[in-house]
Amino acid sequence: MALHINSTAKLPSGYEIPLLGYGVYQTPSEVAEDVTQHAIKSGYRHVDSATVYRNEEPSAKGMLKAGIPRDQLFYTSKVPPKSISYNDAKACIDESLKKTGLGYVDLYLLHAPYGGKEGRLGAWKALVEAVDAGKVRSIGVSNYGVHHLDELEEWQKQQPQGAAGIISVNQIELHPWLARKDIVQWCERRNIVLQAYSPLVRATRMDDPILMPIAKKHGKEPSQILLRWGLQKGFVILPKSVTHSRIEENTQLYGFELDGEDMRALDTGKYEPCTWDPTTAPLSGGMALQFVYGHALSYLQRFGIMSHG
Ligand SMILES: NC(=O)c1ccc[n+]([C@@H]2O[C@H](COP(=O)([O-])OP(=O)(O)OC[C@H]3O[C@@H](n4cnc5c(N)ncnc54)[C@H](OP(=O)(O)O)[C@@H]3O)[C@@H](O)[C@H]2O)c1
């Protein structure tokens, strides 16, 4: 069926997730209420926030103010990278509920695979308990590489019935210069939904020589081609903008289709993250070590000094 602004994907939890999401990272809290309300009025039904974005309260307020019933809205938050442990995750979920006043959070993620094995699995257990308590509907991870996913799946297999939780989502940086075939394949084999963050490559590639001719061919903006690429790959896309006109522009992704030739041209095979890359962080070590190692490795891979495996 043709994609449209209200298209959704079914999560492994059984809930539906809107394919178009509105990201609020780096959205100042003073403007978050206004821009989020504008996004909902422009047709978005899904907002991606996080504890570390420091705008949960105004973002949720903006969502609710737009006048759309709560059950038609989808809100995500995340346990901060520095708080990946059982106790911190529990506290964090309660804080999100209090700040947002949404009654429940649609999707709660572990923001990064830090905290060591005990921290990661402890924080996951807190998410599972939050689902049982009706505080959260679906749970998932963010920035998990294949080795982190394997660790979680191994642990899940050892749990008694009902205690393992269901991984609904992995939210990672995804765009034509970072298609991450290994992680995508791991998730797709298990029907885990991929959420593409930084889908506009943070506006750093709008004049790219591969992208521009495709935009011209379809009479669309380069930003719309990038977002359409994500949708046609089957990803949930999370564009961010604090500019009213761009918030609207980023919803106009329907009524045209990238053909095989366009998709092949955009299949660059490159490894060029535009932000951090915790998917490469090692399983063990403290958060600081994992952070530094993950960053150093992503730079080495980016500049071709090491291959990305
Ligand atoms: N889980 C994670 O670790 C993680 C990491 C990064 C991001 N995320 C999520 O993904 C969301 C999006 O990622 P992102 O914020 O890194 O970057 P992005 O969405 O790729 O790019 C945002 C940038 O693009 C500009 N922009 C937006 N629409 C545009 C358009 N139509 N034409 C030209 N420029 C445009 C924005 O400017 P203006 O705002 O000035 O309009 C902003 O500078 C975040 O907000 C967050 O929800 C998650």
Side-chain angles (χ1 to χ4, degrees):
M1 206 178 78
L3 290 165
H4 53 85
I5 194 167
N6 300 124
S7 292
T8 58
K10 199 175 191 75
L11 294 170
S13 63
Y15 289 100
E16 300 283 329
I17 183 169
L19 294 183
L20 176 65
Y22 176 64
V24 293
Y25 174 52
Q26 291 182 321
T27 296
S29 72
E30 316 83 78
V31 303
E33 181 181 329
D34 169 68
V35 292
T36 312
Q37 184 180 2
H38 187 71
I40 302 297
K41 287 192 163 163
S42 307
Y44 298 76
R45 292 291 176 266
H46 167 183
V47 173
D48 182 78
S49 186
T51 313
V52 289
Y53 300 170
R54 296 176 191 276
N55 56 23
E56 286 207 90
E57 193 173 343
S59 303
K61 204 165 167 193
M63 275 179 100
L64 293 171
K65 250 179 122 173
I68 301 293
R70 169 67 184 99
D71 64 1
Q72 292 172 34
L73 299 170
F74 191 101
Y75 178 82
T76 301
S77 190
K78 313 181 189 96
V79 180
K82 279 193 305 200
S83 309
I84 305 293
S85 71
Y86 177 75
N87 286 333
D88 285 354
K90 257 177 99 88
C92 182
I93 294 162
D94 288 341
E95 195 61 25
S96 292
L97 282 173
K98 205 162 99 192
K99 280 194 175 139
T100 61
L102 289 169
Y104 59 87
V105 175
D106 294 274
L107 177 65
Y108 223 102
L109 308 178
L110 304 185
H111 207 140
Y114 296 158
K117 182 173 183 179
E118 196 185 325
R120 279 188 295 276
L121 298 177
W124 180 258
K125 205 162 160 257
L127 296 192
V128 176
E129 289 177 10
V131 173
D132 292 342
K135 296 175 179 180
V136 170
R137 286 194 162 174
S138 304
I139 55 178
V141 292
S142 177
N143 294 302
Y144 267 45
V146 167
H147 53 311
H148 306 113
L149 292 162
D150 282 339
E151 176 192 80
L152 178 53
E153 189 177 57
E154 245 348 275
W155 175 85
Q156 286 182 307
K157 283 181 189 157
Q158 292 156 18
Q159 301 313 301
Q161 183 101 29
I166 298 166
I167 310 171
S168 279
V169 154
N170 189 13
Q171 181 180 125
I172 54 177
E173 184 183 337
L174 280 169
H175 46 68
W177 297 274
L178 191 67
R180 324 206 90 139
K181 291 193 175 143
D182 55 343
I183 304 176
V184 168
Q185 196 179 63
W186 196 100
C187 293
E188 284 180 348
R189 283 196 178 140
R190 293 154 178 87
N191 295 319
I192 293 171
V193 170
L194 286 142
Q195 292 187 302
Y197 78 63
S198 306
L200 296 166
V201 207
R202 296 211 167 145
T204 57
R205 301 261 193 177
M206 296 306 184
D207 55 359
D208 182 272
I210 299 174
L211 186 57
M212 290 230 294
I214 300 175
K216 207 166 157 205
K217 171 173 151 187
H218 291 280
K220 289 282 170 186
E221 295 299 323
S223 49
Q224 293 167 325
I225 300 298
L226 290 174
L227 297 176
R228 182 74 202 187
W229 174 89
L231 289 175
Q232 287 188 211
K233 283 278 185 184
F235 306 149
V236 166
I237 49 166
L238 304 171
K240 172 262 174 187
S241 176
V242 292
T243 315
H244 279 210
S245 57
R246 288 175 174 167
I247 290 172
E248 293 159 29
E249 188 173 282
N250 296 343
T251 67
Q252 287 150 28
L253 311 174
Y254 312 96
F256 78 104
E257 198 166 340
L258 301 177
D259 60 29
E261 193 188 341
D262 303 328
M263 292 301 276
R264 273 191 297 283
L266 291 167
D267 187 8
T268 70
K270 297 265 171 69
Y271 171 78
E272 296 183 355
C274 68
T275 172
W276 66 339
D277 186 11
T279 67
T280 60
L283 290 175
S284 57
M287 139 91 197
L289 175 72
Q290 289 182 319
F291 187 79
V292 170
Y293 183 88
H295 273 66
L297 195 64
S298 67
Y299 276 100
L300 291 175
Q301 286 164 341
R302 179 165 181 174
F303 294 110
I305 300 164
M306 267 178 80
S307 66
H308 182 242

